[in-house]
Amino acid sequence: MVENFDEWFHDILEQADITDSRYPIKGMAVWRPYGFQIRKHSMNIIKNLLDKDHDEVLFPMLVPESELAKEGIHVKGFEDEVYWVTRGGQRELNEQLALRPTSETAIYPMYSLWIRTHIDLPIKMYQIVNTFRYETKHTRPLIRVREITTFKEAHTAHATKEESDEQIQDFIEMYKEFFDDLGIPYLISKRPEWDKFPGSDYTMAFDAIMPNGKTLQIGTIHNLGQTFAKTFEITFEDKDGEHKYVYQTCAGVSDRVIASLIGIHGDDKGLRLPPKVSPNQVTIIPILFKKGKEEVLAKCAEIKETLEANGLRVNIDDRDIRPGKKFNDWELKGTPIKLELGPRDLENNITIAMRRDEEEKIEIPLDDNLSDAIIDLLDKSGESLSAQAWDFLEEHVKFADTLEEIPELVESGNVVKFYWCGDEEVGHEIEEKTGYDVLGIQEEVSEGKCIASGKDAKYVALIAKTY
Ligand code: P5A
């Protein structure tokens, strides 16, 4: 799987019923029922986190060219990626309309109308929408798509710079909680100047390491400073009676979250889903013989009912096929716990539980403690997926003392840390000489020499092969 991860990833999406890429537009795919459930459960986690202190809104998908074009740097960053609507029926439109690649230029003209005084601040809103980017790099399902189908974008405005910096920290904490819930390990870094979001002061990014060692940017948080406020005239009357521009931030995660979930936890047998997002947390597999069939099925139904009453998602696979095939199917689909129940188990009043994250079979009595025992297994299974994934990440971050060491480390599947003086030209030189991307700054340091310039290092930075 590690050697040909891209192929594995492509196949699993089809085999496990996640998405179908045969839709006749490049970079756009269909969510199939099983994938849709995973998408729904993970979306609910981030939605609940955002709902704590953000208002959910919904803006139109089309943005007038005049608004999109207003913020020069921003539009430059996206100009090659915008899909345009130019006609309504047979008629040419007076002004062409962009399919939002992201929604700053849709939302901020409205912020300028809504924000009047300091009492209106902070404003914190989010929407979950589809966005369109005509990506020219190689498209890949969920990883680099032309229609992002679950763009969770949050946009805030504040009275002071300090508050906007605090908001960046709040977003970092929120995304940590989100990715922790999914057991997805991450590296957090400040993107270099040449890779920050177009129009932002600075960008903080979450990167996951996929099994082949390539990193995937799974979330970004941008401090927009006052750039957009000046462009869209977003001002407020402060306590001192003065009119001031707001400070803004925005943050977003996409379908890539599902890509990392699948890629990071999966194994040669298929998906391994964390219980929080698995469509079924428990799959009951009856072992049926002619004799005692009805009793076994009745007991399975009773177990399902008991577990569901305790808030679990449970299904019974009563298809008329060999049990072995059922086991394989649910291994492929990554259900966290399989419960096997045959006539002999029924006699002994037990069921056999199998966790997807390990091989062991566990006998569980069919008594009043059943739900508690299953919930305990689910918790353990989620924790162990997360722990395995964090171990993988930690084993795959290495430190290089010289530029020459980097290629070998990266080619053997690692992300590499190094000392950097922070100069932009030196950063470019490092990227050119190695052929990899500087992800960003992980921490500030007051020791060490820059790996390329030999000057005093200011930072520990990360470099990797990226998606
Ligand atoms: C933040 C939200 C923004 O667009 N505006 C509102 C800001 N940032 S971003 O970095 O450009 O995108 C946010 C995250 O979306 C993911 N992403 C993609 N996922 C799949 N396919 C794509 N083509 C794609 N482009 C961006 C990244 O995870 C990114 O961090």
Side-chain angles (χ1 to χ4, degrees), residues 16 18 33-45 181-182 258 261-262 265 271-283 311-315 329-338 356 378 381-382 385:
I18 309 289
Y34 198 71
F36 194 88
Q37 292 290 320
I38 301 174
R39 172 185 184 271
K40 182 178 78 180
H41 294 305
S42 33
M43 215 151 77
N44 283 342
I45 298 178
D181 254 3
L182 303 176
I258 309 290
L261 185 81
I262 291 172
H265 297 310
L271 301 179
R272 296 196 304 167
L273 293 175
K276 287 195 175 142
V277 295
S278 185
N280 309 297
Q281 295 163 318
V282 179
T283 295
L312 300 180
R313 297 190 289 269
V314 187
N315 68 322
D329 283 356
W330 292 107
E331 255 158 26
L332 174 72
K333 290 220 165 155
T335 225
I337 290 178
K338 295 186 285 301
R356 178 61 178 90
L378 284 169
S381 141
L385 282 184

Side-chain angles (χ1 to χ4, degrees), residues 78 102 104 133 135 142-145 148 151 153 155 197 217-220 222 250-254 256:
F78 281 103
T102 167
E104 285 72 11
R133 296 184 180 184
E135 295 278 359
L142 304 180
I143 290 178
R144 178 166 287 100
V145 290
I148 304 175
F151 198 64
E153 52 175 328
H155 296 267
F197 183 65
Q217 172 181 296
I218 49 173
T220 32
H222 316 288
C250 66
V253 284
S254 79
R256 282 187 187 175

Side-chain angles (χ1 to χ4, degrees), residues 8-59:
W8 176 92
F9 183 71
H10 192 269
D11 292 347
I12 197 81
L13 294 181
E14 190 183 314
Q15 290 163 3
D17 247 340
I18 309 289
T19 55
D20 196 328
S21 298
R22 290 173 299 178
Y23 190 78
I25 299 180
K26 185 173 146 66
M28 299 189 185
V30 180
W31 282 99
R32 303 201 47 177
Y34 198 71
F36 194 88
Q37 292 290 320
I38 301 174
R39 172 185 184 271
K40 182 178 78 180
H41 294 305
S42 33
M43 215 151 77
N44 283 342
I45 298 178
I46 187 80
K47 226 169 128 41
N48 286 336
L49 289 169
L50 282 160
D51 281 337
K52 284 184 191 166
D53 65 346
H54 282 65
D55 293 314
E56 187 172 6
V57 290
L58 186 57
F59 277 73

Side-chain angles (χ1 to χ4, degrees), residues 426-449:
V426 176
H428 288 305
E429 181 193 327
I430 295 170
E431 287 192 337
E432 274 156 31
K433 283 196 173 151
T434 58
Y436 308 121
D437 297 322
V438 172
L439 294 182
I441 295 162
Q442 217 187 17
E443 57 176 314
E444 292 187 17
V445 287
S446 49
E447 44 158 47
K449 298 283 174 206

